[in-house]
Amino acid sequence: MSARWLVFALVSTAVEAAPPLETEEPLVSQLLHSIDQPPSKGQWVAAGGARVAQTLRAAATRGTLVERRAALAALALFDDEATRTTLRAVVLTDAQPVFRKQAVETLGLVLGPRAFEDPVVVRALDDVEPMVRRAAIRAIARGPAPNVRRLLEPIVAREQDDETKAVLEQARRLWRTQN
Amino acid sequence: MRGSLVLVVASLTACFEAPCERATEPGDLLSPCPVPTPDASVDAGKRDGGLTRIDAGLDAGRADGGQLDAGVEPPGDGGIRLIDFGLVKLDGGLSQRLTVTTLSTDEGFQVEVLGEVTGEFLQVDQLISPRGTLMASGRNLALHRSRSRVGTPVTATLVLESDDARDEWTPGTWSFVVRSVVQSTSIARAEAVTVKVFVKPRPAVVRQKLGVNLFFTGSAGLRASNAATQARLQQGLRKFRDIFATFDVELEAPRLFDLPAGFSAITEEAEQPDAGAMMGQSLHALVRESRNAPPGVNIFFVESLAYRGLPSGGVLGVAGGIPGLTMTPGTPASGVVVLFDSAVFVPMVPNEEDTLGATIAHELGHQLGLSHPYELDGRFDNFSDTPFTGPAARRNLMAPLAADGADLSPLQKTTLRRNPVVRP
């Protein structure tokens, strides 16, 4: 728990110290407002230069709701250890479910079938918000059937949310198919 | 200030306590109504019931090809005339030339083409106006003077302008072909497609109406049963209503539909051959759930919208097409999908506004025929009056980047108003 709050404190400090993204990186800020045409990796680099991944990591923890969500999604194009650390910090510490869900989804995408090995994704199975749990189930379900079953079967009985139960049922069909 | 507050509260009360059967303010929801599932709603067969059905001609050589006989049946639903070409054969990916004859009292028509081959793209092509002007040719959209777009296995084209890019209507006989484009030789071409044309007469009244069907997937806990008290949704619908009111289109009281559990996440664009590998629904499968919806635009709310290889959050909404199939429910292009991943809107910075209502309006702008005025890759739309640089461009509702405006140019408004789903 102390590590979790340490991450939170570091992120909070960074947020307070940083100037608005719109001022600091106007082109990146504009791309973060794309409504239905997600920018390509090339477009991100053209807008933000070589440091664009760093800019997106910063934007993932500050700015408007639209900017933060879009930055968390765009980080899937800039996967490295620093990106994963940012995503994990959001999953563990952010007060808003929308960002925790977004970070889990991006982590699931970059980790692929190995998402079940990530303790932060696994921990999100117990998130208080059903939407975040569903994102974690979807991420983990891409893994090898025995591992998926080991992680998800215990939560089938205790899940109370109907939509989440439906997602678990999808996962169960998937691991049965693979077996 | 006190007076303003009282007015706001009164308005919200009227909204949330509306009796089931009474239409209230457009954009408001009917709270206690029993909510039908799509299967239990209006029979799709009745959708054409109010339309004047006309046999269509297939060959430009036929003098009466597609010609209407408007006096035979009384028009309904705004007098929209359906010209049903039925199943049209494609030879080498190309149909025969199809013709549609329109009157000076019309204001446009929409062609809706349905195929079934995944990976195939259909296009209304070689569109020729009554004056002989080529309005759409090939895949270079910059050359298109109609709203023709290459779609997925279904496509629609909205034709509503004169051939000199003004908004006057050119009556007479129009003709076009349907072209099938496949990206890979491994994809079999469709041998036939279904083609329907909806001709819209010019309405006698300025103010028109738009039917609205809302589909809920349980995203962020949003269901038909709580939609009337869901403050964020209500605020978004009011914003959407206000934007459409700026061009004299009034929203009818929305019809609400709950979808079965499991539809809240979109993980792919199209159905995959190996459906078992998916941990969610495809965009196309979701929008097909509109199959029994009553006439109107279909809006689906989801909590996760993965699209073209990016995780959810990269897009706020997706439209079925430019335009979508607004007159045919149950196809992958029959609605728009909007991200609803938070039950409440929590501003992250001072004065931040929720984008939900503007996103709904933006996606419906596509669905009714509008492109972005400019694209991130430098392309522009085919309107002469849309701004593409500077603050005015950012304030346009159809700007690809969400900003703080909901402006529309005169030609954009004309396009929206002339879609056949918008009715007197």
Side-chain angles (χ1 to χ4, degrees):
Chain A
M1 183 62 85
S2 58
R4 174 182 171 135
W5 287 106
L6 176 63
V7 172
F8 180 69
L10 290 172
V11 170
S12 302
T13 306
V15 170
E16 286 170 13
L21 185 69
E22 192 172 358
T23 308
E24 194 180 43
E25 292 283 354
L27 295 178
V28 173
S29 173
Q30 282 184 30
L31 289 187
L32 288 171
H33 287 85
S34 177
I35 299 172
D36 46 21
Q37 292 290 325
S40 65
K41 186 171 184 176
Q43 286 170 322
W44 284 116
V45 172
R51 290 166 47 89
V52 69
Q54 190 175 337
T55 304
L56 288 172
R57 286 195 293 271
T61 54
R62 63 186 172 100
T64 65
L65 189 151
V66 169
E67 287 171 341
R68 290 194 57 192
R69 183 168 48 201
L72 286 165
L75 282 173
L77 299 171
F78 299 93
D79 177 34
D80 59 19
E81 207 42 54
T83 286
R84 293 181 186 192
T85 299
T86 299
L87 294 170
R88 289 180 182 119
V90 171
V91 176
L92 290 174
T93 66
D94 207 289
Q96 298 301 321
V98 60
F99 301 129
R100 298 201 303 274
K101 184 214 72 158
Q102 188 63 65
V104 170
E105 286 184 337
T106 304
L107 266 176
L109 199 79
V110 300
L111 295 170
R114 305 191 72 86
F116 74 94
E117 294 176 334
D118 192 289
V120 173
V121 176
V122 173
R123 184 168 170 166
L125 290 171
D126 294 322
D127 196 285
V128 67
E129 175 63 39
M131 186 171 64
V132 182
R133 298 201 295 274
R134 290 195 283 273
I137 294 166
R138 291 188 190 102
I140 287 169
R142 297 185 184 119
N147 305 80
V148 174
R149 183 174 185 169
R150 176 177 54 79
L151 287 168
L152 298 187
E153 200 157 43
I155 65 175
V156 170
R158 70 169 188 259
E159 180 58 58
Q160 297 297 308
D161 179 76
D162 285 343
E163 183 65 23
T164 311
K165 282 195 274 192
V167 175
L168 277 169
E169 185 53 38
Q170 279 183 312
R172 186 145 64 171
R173 281 199 299 270
L174 194 57
W175 81 57
R176 282 176 178 163
T177 306
Q178 290 182 353
N179 280 337
Chain B
M1 177 60 93
R2 182 182 292 269
S4 300
L5 283 174
V6 170
L7 278 176
V8 169
V9 172
S11 169
L12 288 173
T13 303
C15 165
F16 294 147
E17 294 182 356
C20 174
E21 297 298 332
R22 188 167 66 86
T24 57
E25 290 287 309
D28 292 346
L29 298 168
L30 306 177
S31 64
C33 291
V35 179
T37 63
D39 284 332
S41 67
V42 179
D43 188 320
K46 292 179 182 173
R47 192 178 166 89
D48 292 345
L51 304 181
T52 305
R53 207 176 183 88
I54 299 151
D55 288 333
L58 272 176
D59 189 341
R62 282 176 54 176
D64 62 343
Q67 190 156 5
L68 64 98
D69 191 359
V72 175
E73 293 181 56
D77 288 347
I80 305 292
R81 301 191 302 277
L82 167 61
I83 301 175
D84 191 348
F85 288 93
L87 208 55
V88 174
K89 287 185 178 177
L90 301 184
D91 184 6
L94 209 60
S95 76
Q96 297 176 60
R97 184 158 285 277
L98 309 176
T99 60
V100 176
T101 301
T102 61
L103 305 173
S104 59
T105 51
D106 294 329
E107 66 171 8
F109 62 88
Q110 176 153 301
V111 184
E112 298 196 350
V113 183
L114 281 79
E116 290 183 354
V117 178
T118 300
E120 178 187 39
F121 295 85
L122 296 171
Q123 182 180 10
V124 174
D125 202 6
Q126 301 298 314
L127 176 69
I128 297 177
S129 80
R131 289 194 285 218
T133 305
L134 184 64
M135 303 284 286
S137 179
R139 295 194 66 181
N140 186 346
L141 301 179
L143 300 177
H144 286 212
R145 304 175 83 174
S146 76
R147 312 291 172 250
S148 181
R149 286 290 183 272
V150 180
T152 46
V154 293
T155 193
T157 287
L158 186 59
V159 181
L160 41 67
E161 64 270 278
S162 69
D163 49 16
D164 55 2
R166 290 177 298 175
D167 62 0
E168 288 117 4
W169 173 244
T170 309
T173 299
W174 295 71
S175 69
F176 62 91
V177 299
V178 175
R179 181 186 298 279
S180 159
V181 180
V182 290
Q183 308 280 13
S184 162
T185 53
S186 64
I187 298 171
R189 286 183 190 277
E191 294 183 353
V193 292
T194 301
V195 181
K196 292 181 179 179
V197 176
F198 299 86
V199 183
K200 184 177 181 185
R202 188 176 306 116
V205 295
V206 172
R207 191 168 192 137
Q208 297 189 77
K209 293 181 178 175
L210 178 64
V212 178
N213 305 314
L214 305 181
F215 291 81
F216 302 109
T217 64
S219 60
L222 178 63
R223 282 286 180 190
S225 56
N226 62 14
T229 53
Q230 221 293 339
R232 183 172 180 235
L233 175 72
Q234 290 284 335
Q235 187 182 10
L237 291 175
R238 279 192 284 272
K239 172 83 172 175
F240 159 41
R241 174 196 64 189
D242 292 346
I243 292 171
F244 271 56
T246 63
F247 49 95
D248 291 314
V249 172
E250 178 185 339
L251 304 186
E252 293 176 352
R255 279 83 49 133
L256 315 181
F257 300 95
D258 268 334
L259 294 179
F263 274 99
S264 64
I266 299 304
T267 51
E268 307 283 347
E269 184 172 12
E271 288 95 337
Q272 300 298 310
D274 180 14
M278 291 169 54
M279 271 306 298
Q281 291 286 345
S282 74
L283 189 72
H284 291 178
L286 176 70
V287 180
R288 281 186 206 276
E289 290 295 311
S290 63
R291 60 187 178 277
N292 292 317
V297 289
N298 302 311
I299 305 168
F300 296 80
F301 295 97
V302 298
E303 70 187 18
S304 182
L305 184 49
Y307 189 58
R308 294 181 183 171
L310 272 186
S312 180
V315 292
L316 304 178
V318 177
I322 306 176
L325 269 63
T326 54
M327 301 299 287
T328 308
T331 80
S334 299
V336 305
V337 182
V338 174
L339 189 65
F340 189 91
D341 59 0
S342 184
V344 294
F345 173 69
V346 181
M348 295 289 112
V349 300
N351 302 319
E352 181 181 359
E353 288 189 15
D354 195 354
T355 58
L356 178 65
T359 300
I360 295 172
H362 177 102
E363 296 308 329
L364 285 176
H366 288 313
Q367 189 72 0
L368 270 56
L370 298 183
S371 299
H372 295 150
Y374 61 93
E375 300 289 357
L376 300 180
D377 63 8
R379 289 177 295 140
F380 303 107
D381 71 0
N382 48 8
F383 289 103
S384 58
D385 65 348
T386 48
F388 52 87
T389 58
R394 283 187 57 109
R395 284 198 307 270
N396 192 278
L397 176 68
M398 298 310 296
L401 306 172
D404 54 355
D407 293 356
L408 288 162
S409 74
L411 281 176
Q412 285 177 314
K413 290 179 179 178
T414 298
T415 300
L416 295 170
R417 287 176 53 81
R418 288 187 179 182
N419 191 292
V421 77
V422 177
R423 300 179 178 189

